[in-house]
Amino acid sequence: MHVYSHSPFKLGGRVTMEFSAKHRARDVAPGTDDDGTVFAVESGTVAGIEGGMGPNGDHANMVIVRGSDQMLTIYGHVSPSVRAGAAIDEGDEIGDVDLSGDSTARHVHLARLPGGDGTVDDVLDLDRQAKGVTFQFKTLQPW
C-alpha cells in the first residue's frame, strides 16, 4: 500500500469520506484555519488539468499528477494553479480547493490510479470503474 507523507493541506486536514467499493478515493477537507490552498502530496509531472465541467460532472476542476512510479494522483475539486507538463515537488502549491462538480462541501477528492495515458477522459474512465488503489497518509497533521 502506498503511503503519502502529508495531507494536501499545510495546516492538516481530516478525511471526510473513506474508500469503498464505489468510492475508490479519500475525500480530505481542509483544517478549520486553512485557507484551502492545495499542495502536492508527492513529486511528479502534471499530466493534465481540467478547468471546467467538460465531460465530467463529478470532480469538475482537477489536477492529474504522474509520479515517478507512473501512478496517477488525482486532485478533484481543485482550481489548478499549475499547467500540464509542469514538474512539481512534494509540497508545491498546485491549486485551491473549490466547490466544482458534485460537491457540497470544500474537500479534495484524492485518488491514486494505475498509469493509463493521463488524459482527463482516461482518468475519469478509470475512476468510474473504481480502479483506484488504496493509500494512506503518514499523518494528517500540519506540515
Side-chain angles (χ1 to χ4, degrees):
M1 175 184 308
H2 188 78
V3 178
Y4 292 118
S5 296
H6 299 285
S7 158
F9 300 107
K10 287 282 185 181
L11 298 182
R14 61 188 170 80
V15 174
T16 57
M17 184 176 280
E18 283 286 356
F19 280 86
S20 71
K22 292 185 178 180
H23 188 260
R24 300 295 291 169
R26 282 198 166 89
D27 289 351
V28 183
T32 358
D33 296 328
D34 206 299
D35 67 1
T37 302
V38 179
F39 298 89
V41 296
E42 70 177 346
S43 300
T45 302
V46 179
I49 58 170
E50 175 65 26
M53 291 302 282
N56 166 30
D58 300 342
H59 318 310
N61 295 330
M62 74 172 85
V63 176
I64 304 162
V65 176
R66 184 182 303 281
S68 59
D69 59 0
Q70 298 305 304
M71 294 290 285
L72 300 172
T73 301
I74 311 311
Y75 303 80
H77 311 299
V78 173
S79 295
S81 62
V82 291
R83 293 186 176 171
I88 58 168
D89 291 322
E90 179 183 344
D92 284 355
E93 180 180 330
I94 60 167
D96 293 296
V97 68
D98 64 27
L99 289 171
S100 60
D102 187 12
S103 176
T104 57
R106 289 177 2 127
H107 71 277
V108 172
H109 174 89
L110 195 65
R112 185 167 168 79
L113 298 171
D117 64 15
T119 63
V120 172
D121 287 340
D122 184 53
V123 163
L124 294 175
D125 190 45
L126 289 168
D127 199 36
R128 286 188 188 115
Q129 293 177 41
K131 297 291 184 186
V133 295
T134 190
F135 62 87
Q136 292 180 336
F137 294 104
K138 186 174 180 182
T139 180
L140 284 174
Q141 299 305 310
W143 287 35

